[in-house]
């Protein structure tokens, strides 16, 4: 029985990963790119804002989140999610998708106005 449960878990995990990969590939084609001059955003939610590996609820990354006041740079928008990059204090980066309603523009960016 334990073997069947483990197999079921592995199949479900692989299936979710495959679905998220496909969703992310579709998002890369149809996303709306954000201008670099307007890419600066700040976390406005008071709750944790979780990262997703693709713009879909099924693709939430457990234990990977940003908090109120954190700054991110936005790449693109797709179906209520924003593709972002976050720079940790140690210089490492984290990228993924977050709910667009959880962050707001700062009016700044990392590139010049076009």
């Amino acid at each position: 029985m334990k073997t069947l449960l483990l197999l079921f878990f592995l199949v479900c995990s692989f299936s979710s990963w495959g679905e998220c990969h496909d969703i992310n590939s579709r998002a890369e084609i149809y996303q709306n790119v954000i201008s670099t001059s307007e890419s600066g955003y700040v976390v406005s939610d008071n709750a944790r804002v979780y990262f997703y590996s693709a713009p879909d609820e099924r693709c939430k990354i457990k234990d990977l989140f940003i908090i109120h006041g954190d700054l991110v740079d936005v790449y693109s928008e797709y179906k209520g999610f924003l593709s972002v990059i976050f720079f940790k204090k140690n210089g490492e980066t984290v990228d993924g998708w977050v709910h667009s309603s959880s962050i707001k523009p700062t009016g700044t960016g990392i590139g010049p106005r076009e």
Side-chain angles (χ1 to χ4, degrees):
M1 186 65 170
K2 287 181 183 179
T3 304
L4 286 176
L5 288 175
L6 178 61
L7 182 59
F8 176 75
F9 174 76
L10 291 173
V11 168
C12 289
S13 295
F14 181 74
S15 175
S16 295
W17 180 87
E19 286 179 290
C20 293
H21 177 74
D22 292 344
I23 292 166
N24 204 45
S25 294
R26 196 168 36 257
E28 287 178 5
I29 295 169
Y30 297 108
Q31 65 191 349
N32 296 315
V33 176
I34 305 297
S35 169
T36 57
S37 65
E38 300 172 5
S39 63
Y41 279 64
V42 63
V43 176
S44 55
D45 268 10
N46 288 322
R48 294 175 175 174
V49 174
Y50 284 89
F51 279 87
Y52 294 75
S53 61
D56 189 282
E57 288 301 317
R58 295 170 288 181
C59 303
K60 184 177 180 178
I61 303 172
K62 184 181 177 184
D63 298 328
L64 185 58
F65 58 88
I66 47 183
I67 60 171
H68 183 81
D70 282 344
L71 298 173
V72 297
D73 287 309
V74 174
Y75 296 122
S76 61
E77 182 275 328
Y78 183 75
K79 292 190 175 185
F81 286 83
L82 292 168
S83 174
V84 304
I85 187 168
F86 173 69
F87 294 89
K88 294 180 177 183
K89 291 178 183 176
N90 65 3
E92 292 180 28
T93 59
V94 177
D95 61 347
W97 296 87
V98 298
H99 286 284
S100 57
S101 60
S102 301
I103 62 177
K104 64 180 183 180
T106 61
T108 63
I110 57 172
R113 294 219 178 268
E114 298 170 8

